[in-house]
Amino acid sequence: MNSAIINELFSVKNKVVLVSGASRGIGYYIASQLTAIGANVYGIGRSALDKQSDFEYIQCDLANYPQLHESVDQITAKEGRIDILINAAGISLRSEKNVYSRSNFIDTLNVNLVAINDCCRLVSDIMKDNGGGVMLNVTSIGSKLSFPENPGYLASKAGLAALSKSLAYDLAPHRIRVNNLAPGYIHTDMTDKSFNNPVLSKERTDRMMIQRWGTVHDLLGSVIYLISDASSYVTGIDLFVDGGWTSKGL
Ligand code: NAP
């Protein structure tokens, strides 16, 4: 196989891509990198974008359905299609030790699961009309493993992992693939506190086969694989990019 065929397989050139959670962290990095390799990227996030970007940014609270609907309509009106949806938006609201917060649980489910489902549903209608597409939802190793004091996050990510499989099933006849990217510990704002705490940081590194925290860059290859034709026969899977965390025994 020559390199032109390989390049074609992994190409996202001129694809219309919607990335949720693009104001910072994983979403911002992915949106920026996909733009750099020729994709036509729209990023959405709740806050105003406070850094330079080459992609188009729309300020939108994903959990506000009318706002989300309007943002998706705005992109479709301009482009006529959305080829790829990447949902990186997410929140993690840790509770105080031994204190269960019902509002944290509801707020987390509302963003990480209900709003992501809304986004997938709105975009799937557009993809159906245009002959297909690809969706990638960012879950977590917490979709499979237990961690302390954050039941809403774990339930939302396990739910999202299942939601993607359900969508993969129902949307396959419409030529829409849906997969999960499940990161381990990646250094972003979300994890900055434990990254900078030597005890917590080491506790986490000790659970990894590859003995270092992940970076946003470590996710990029897997993202490109899962949204491009390179994964044309792959749907309904969880791809764990976690330095070996979920496979480590002793
Ligand atoms: P982050 O730096 O905290 O970024 C989260 C992004 O989600 C921000 O752009 C945020 O926008 C957006 N967001 C949150 N609520 C939103 C809403 N209601 N409407 C629109 N946008 C919203 O976190 P990250 O580390 O990049 O995480 C990205 C995804 O990866 C999340 O789903 C997270 O659960 C998952 N993940 C992260 C790790 C990790 O180690 N970092 C590990 C596993 C999974 P605003 O700032 O504008 O609100």
Side-chain angles (χ1 to χ4, degrees):
M1 199 179 273
N2 66 33
S3 60
I5 296 174
I6 299 285
N7 288 344
E8 188 61 31
L9 265 182
F10 288 90
S11 174
V12 291
K13 205 159 189 266
N14 299 325
K15 297 284 184 191
V16 179
V17 184
L18 170 54
V19 180
S20 76
S23 66
R24 57 200 163 87
I26 294 168
Y28 174 79
Y29 180 77
I30 289 170
S32 303
Q33 294 304 311
L34 295 183
T35 305
I37 58 172
N40 180 5
V41 179
Y42 289 79
I44 57 178
R46 197 171 27 181
S47 51
L49 191 64
D50 61 1
K51 36 179 109 42
Q52 189 272 329
S53 87
D54 292 326
F55 59 87
E56 192 131 346
Y57 183 77
I58 302 170
Q59 196 174 348
C60 159
D61 180 354
L62 220 66
N64 179 327
Y65 188 74
Q67 252 185 47
L68 174 65
H69 206 310
E70 199 184 309
S71 304
V72 171
D73 284 352
Q74 199 179 317
I75 300 166
T76 322
K78 205 164 153 202
E79 304 293 344
R81 64 185 216 274
I82 296 174
D83 302 308
I84 296 165
L85 168 65
I86 301 171
N87 279 311
I91 55 172
S92 173
L93 305 173
R94 236 189 137 101
S95 301
E96 274 175 61
K97 211 166 171 45
N98 297 325
V99 180
Y100 168 65
S101 164
R102 185 168 181 273
S103 64
N104 275 6
F105 190 88
I106 291 169
D107 290 349
T108 308
L109 267 287
N110 267 341
V111 174
N112 293 8
L113 188 55
V114 178
I116 301 291
N117 179 51
D118 286 337
C119 193
C120 291
R121 301 284 164 185
L122 286 168
V123 173
S124 72
D125 287 342
I126 295 150
M127 288 178 171
K128 281 179 193 170
D129 288 345
N130 285 289
V134 187
M135 296 185 186
L136 181 61
N137 289 325
V138 181
T139 57
S140 165
I141 53 173
S143 65
K144 191 176 168 184
L145 301 174
S146 187
F147 292 86
E149 315 288 350
N150 208 340
Y153 188 77
L154 300 185
S156 70
K157 292 299 186 180
L160 181 57
L163 172 70
S164 298
K165 292 175 207 303
S166 162
L167 290 169
Y169 196 121
D170 294 341
L171 296 175
H174 301 279
R175 299 168 56 86
I176 300 169
R177 298 188 294 111
V178 188
N179 290 297
N180 293 314
L181 179 79
Y185 273 82
I186 309 294
H187 183 210
T188 64
D189 289 353
M190 188 179 273
T191 52
D192 194 49
K193 214 167 148 190
S194 43
F195 181 82
N196 284 313
N197 176 317
V199 175
L200 297 180
S201 187
K202 183 175 180 321
E203 201 174 47
R204 282 150 184 72
T205 309
D206 286 346
R207 301 302 306 264
M208 306 167 195
M209 292 182 188
I210 298 171
Q211 291 265 295
R212 64 168 176 82
W213 277 59
T215 65
V216 286
H217 183 70
D218 287 317
L219 301 175
L220 187 60
S222 300
V223 169
I224 293 173
Y225 164 66
L226 285 173
I227 63 171
S228 66
D229 287 348
S231 61
S232 57
Y233 197 53
V234 177
T235 197
I237 70 152
D238 303 281
L239 179 53
F240 284 83
V241 184
D242 62 358
W245 184 305
T246 44
S247 296
K248 193 175 180 210
L250 187 61

